[in-house]
Amino acid sequence: MIVIFDLDNTLVDSSIDFAALRRALLDLWETAGPLPAPREDLVRLAIPEIVARLTAAAPALAPAAWALVERFEVEGLRDARPVPDAARVLATLAARGVRIAVLTNNSRAAARAALDAGGLAPYVTVLVGREDVPALKPDPAGVRQIVARLGPGTPYVVGDSWIDAAAAAAAGVRFVGVGRRRADVEARGIRPWAWISRLEDLLTVDLRA
């Protein structure tokens, strides 16, 4: 069995200000000319989608766009702490023979630092960051890569946002949502395989079903 976890607000309480990052990216985009759609529509996109569209429209802005992403990422993960019971959940799953992976749109170095600081790294067999995949979540590339690397076994994706759910759905993998964003996921036409309120509740889910 394989469980692929998201990082931010799934395993660690990230304080990355994603809303402010979106606004900053759109501000940067506007330096190259008018936005191609209303700001209120563009701000609903996932950050990788904004970056992809921005850099396609203005390739010269790519370094500045990624520099913004990295700055917000470093600031938001600097004091990140594991969510309650994260270490116990991972340790219990590992003891049950589950192969654990982490798939994040953050850089691998930032994710590794957060996992190390929280004592979670020893339980993670595979860590895939943004530099490891051709396309970021909600694209399924990272999910598919992890499944291929870890071999046979029923895979599950555990995450808190619609981009995790979309990546799982596109890869044909079961999605277990955690937290308060179920309505946002289902509003995008994605039906979770299961939903839990807290990470510790994952231990009560029959992942063999």
Side-chain angles (χ1 to χ4, degrees), residues 51-194:
V51 174
R53 295 191 186 191
L54 187 164
T55 56
L61 293 179
W66 285 114
L68 274 174
V69 172
E70 290 176 9
R71 176 167 64 82
F72 274 81
E73 180 179 285
V74 169
E75 292 173 356
L77 288 174
R78 181 177 292 119
D79 299 315
R81 295 291 182 270
V83 302
D85 289 307
R88 182 173 69 88
V89 169
L90 296 192
T92 302
L93 291 176
R96 294 175 181 175
V98 174
R99 286 160 288 166
I100 296 169
V102 171
L103 173 60
T104 177
N105 284 350
N106 296 324
S107 72
R108 191 185 332 110
R112 173 64 66 183
L115 292 170
D116 285 340
L120 306 180
Y123 308 110
V124 178
T125 302
V126 173
L127 169 61
V128 173
R130 67 166 169 262
E131 59 269 68
D132 301 314
V133 293
L136 303 180
K137 296 182 290 184
D139 190 277
V143 176
R144 289 172 176 158
Q145 180 188 132
I146 289 171
V147 171
R149 289 174 64 177
L150 290 181
T154 303
Y156 300 81
V157 170
V158 178
D160 71 306
S161 74
W162 74 266
I163 67 170
D164 304 312
V173 170
R174 293 171 171 178
F175 175 69
V176 179
V178 57
R180 303 176 180 178
R181 299 181 181 176
R182 182 170 188 167
D184 185 37
V185 169
E186 294 184 341
R188 295 174 183 269
I190 305 169
R191 184 173 182 177
W193 180 78

Side-chain angles (χ1 to χ4, degrees), residues 1-46:
M1 188 183 309
I2 300 166
V3 178
I4 303 168
F5 288 93
D6 170 50
L7 181 69
D8 295 305
N9 303 313
T10 298
L11 289 179
V12 301
D13 278 326
S14 164
S15 58
I16 298 174
D17 191 339
F18 293 108
L21 174 54
R22 286 182 174 88
R23 292 193 297 271
L25 287 168
L26 294 180
D27 289 343
L28 175 65
W29 195 345
E30 282 188 313
T31 66
L35 295 175
R39 178 176 278 254
E40 57 267 27
D41 293 338
L42 294 172
V43 81
R44 296 185 68 250
L45 298 173

